[in-house]
Amino acid sequence: MLHSRKLLAAALSALLIGAVPARAETPPDTFIQAWAIDDIISLDPAEIFEFTAAEIAGNTYERLIGYDPNDVSNIFGVIAESWQVAPDGKSISFTIREGRTFASGNPITAEDVVFSLVRAVKLDKSPAFILTQFGLNADNVEEMVVQTGDYSFDFKMDNAYAPTLVLYCLTSTVASVVDKKLAMEHEANGDFGYEWLKTAYAGSGPFTIREWRANEAVVLERNENFSGDKPAMARVIYRHIPEGATQRLLLEQGDIDIARDLGPTEIDALSSNPDIVIESGVKGAIYYLGLNQKNEYLSKPQVRQAMKYLIDYQAIADTIMKGTVQVHQAFLPKGFLGALEDTPFSLDVEKAKALLAEAGVPDGFTVTMDTRNTPDITGIAQAIQQTMAQAGIKLELIPGDGQQTLTKYRARNHDIYIGRWGPDYQDPHTNADTFARNPDNSDEAASKPLAWRNAWDIPEMTAEADAAVLEPDAGKRAEMYLALQRQHQEVSPFVIMFQEIEVIGRRKNVQGFVIGPSFDSNNYAGVTK
């Protein structure tokens, strides 16, 4: 057994570093993806708040609730069998499916679900706000999330929120169900197993996490104790290959099964290859600039608006990002309740110059922009740098990998950050909560949404966003979000530019990869060759 594991490790290493000759196809039981995975910071679902790790969690952990990626309004139980909303709307009683197990072999019970939710709130990492927005905190969570039986528990809230909002939040990564017994076996200093789970695994999904090598690879293995249909693939490998041209070459050679970061040039070239299939799907992710209000220039309202007229949105969409984005300028993506599809901004240098003169900076100014060093983000940044210069704004680009730029942004130590934001769940509050809500703008704030990261103090808009989550009528809720987005376009320090279209190239013999609407809903449990 030890000998066979050593052979497997050697074979995996050869696949990862490309130390084997080009082959006609990858191993029949191994699914290999090429992707830029340098944004991974942690593999603990209570902390995961990045694109790559969230997708990995979506394929390795299970949640209480799931939804159909082809119809997100179709919500169903995964670990939860059923639920009942209380008459006053302030609590939901859940019943857990019996007979399911974690990858460890431990049974999944209500105790594990309660532990997972309480753990996420008490650890209070970046995604904890998805749960704490319902009135939960470290002091009261054990009274708000209460086990009522071996396979039942109550989720209590401080207000009667729209039930779909609550259920969608329980489809998010932070609501992943963790194996309590296994996690607590690795607890240190009351950390709920956090230090261990940052690089380890304690879930029940179709795959387990075997290994993460930072900026190199992630290796998953089939969960032989999975309660659903077991995957055909024995293992899944993510290879960190950020360059689209390299991904194209590896895909053509058959060294990988799927390429995830293809640019327009690569997509065009591969479209005529009979061995390759190009697939796409509209995602909820949006590309934007965050303008830090601690900067003396960016804090001027006219400067914020001027910058929205100094981007050639359509040209970037048609060339640099051809086929991978569509112009979109509101914080709710198309497909969400109340999404605003108006695009009032286009490149207008003269209008921008007039706004800068009104702000008292007619000759422009110099600022920095933190830029993840992937081809798409770098390309967008350079195009913006050129058009901003036409009005005298000098952008100094500061490149870094995903982890570096995110860490700096989350500490609000940037001037401008160019980023990509994906909804955490399929309710409009997910983006309103981060782009249009900031309950505490102090440096020591507990909640740190994007508005906080950019030091934008908005008590009135925060109150409007809070009111929308309590509106039970869907039509009225939609109108509230439309009004909020129109106001946001006129005053916010966010330059919202595009909505993502995810494009993948796959080998023709590979079937069953699902491009979901959210960054954590891509699924490969059904992949076959």
Side-chain angles (χ1 to χ4, degrees), residues 229-244:
D229 295 331
K230 292 187 175 52
M233 296 294 103
R235 66 192 60 84
V236 174
I237 300 173
Y238 288 87
R239 292 180 58 181
H240 176 58
I241 300 170
E243 303 85 7

Side-chain angles (χ1 to χ4, degrees), residues 69-83:
N70 297 312
D71 178 8
V72 298
S73 66
N74 179 13
I75 299 174
F76 53 82
V78 179
I79 284 178
E81 183 174 56
S82 61
W83 55 89

Side-chain angles (χ1 to χ4, degrees), residues 108-370:
I108 301 173
T109 68
E111 184 178 3
D112 297 291
V113 179
V114 170
F115 168 77
S116 302
L117 298 175
V118 168
R119 176 181 186 274
V121 171
K122 288 198 169 187
L123 286 176
D124 196 26
K125 301 301 179 182
S126 293
F129 74 90
I130 297 171
L131 300 174
T132 59
Q133 66 183 315
F134 300 114
L136 281 61
N137 57 53
D139 295 327
N140 71 10
V141 65
E142 290 177 291
E143 287 74 50
M144 301 292 275
V145 184
V146 182
Q147 184 175 350
T148 57
D150 289 345
Y151 292 94
S152 61
F153 78 98
D154 289 343
F155 185 88
K156 302 177 184 180
M157 299 163 285
D158 61 347
N159 278 301
Y161 297 94
T164 51
L165 166 63
V166 184
L167 295 174
Y168 278 128
C169 286
L170 295 176
T171 71
S172 66
T173 302
V174 74
S176 298
V177 178
V178 172
D179 185 334
K180 177 181 178 180
K181 182 179 179 182
L182 185 58
M184 293 303 284
E185 286 174 359
H186 296 87
E187 182 185 29
N189 303 313
D191 73 346
F192 298 96
Y194 164 69
E195 286 298 333
W196 176 73
L197 262 182
K198 286 173 72 173
T199 57
Y201 173 72
S204 62
F207 292 97
T208 67
I209 302 172
R210 171 176 167 170
E211 184 177 11
W212 164 36
R213 305 180 197 174
N215 292 353
E216 183 180 347
V218 176
V219 180
L220 312 181
E221 290 186 338
R222 180 169 53 213
N223 176 8
E224 300 298 344
N225 286 326
F226 182 51
S227 300
D229 295 331
K230 292 187 175 52
M233 296 294 103
R235 66 192 60 84
V236 174
I237 300 173
Y238 288 87
R239 292 180 58 181
H240 176 58
I241 300 170
E243 303 85 7
T246 305
Q247 291 190 16
R248 171 194 165 186
L249 178 62
L250 292 171
L251 188 63
E252 288 176 323
Q253 291 178 168
D255 287 331
I256 60 174
D257 295 304
I258 281 187
R260 303 284 299 273
D261 292 297
L262 299 172
T265 301
E266 291 79 43
I267 293 168
D268 286 344
L270 289 169
S271 295
S272 59
N273 187 324
D275 295 323
I276 307 299
V277 176
I278 301 295
E279 290 184 344
S280 65
V282 176
K283 308 290 283 190
I286 59 176
Y287 290 81
Y288 72 96
L289 303 184
L291 315 179
N292 194 339
Q293 297 304 280
K294 290 187 174 185
N295 181 284
E296 61 174 315
Y297 300 114
L298 303 178
S299 65
K300 299 175 183 291
Q302 300 95 331
V303 169
R304 300 197 297 257
Q305 290 307 96
M307 287 188 155
K308 295 171 188 177
Y309 289 104
L310 287 173
I311 297 174
D312 197 340
Y313 303 89
Q314 199 61 56
I316 294 172
D318 291 343
T319 56
I320 296 168
M321 301 296 287
K322 182 180 178 183
T324 62
V325 299
Q326 53 188 252
V327 176
H328 186 74
Q329 296 175 346
F331 65 71
L332 280 183
K334 293 178 183 177
F336 275 66
L337 176 72
L340 178 65
E341 298 188 20
D342 297 350
T343 53
F345 306 110
S346 59
L347 181 62
D348 189 335
V349 177
E350 293 309 311
K351 186 165 187 174
K353 285 181 175 179
L355 285 165
L356 292 174
E358 189 179 328
V361 285
D363 299 322
F365 50 90
T366 299
V367 288
T368 62
M369 183 158 75
D370 290 284

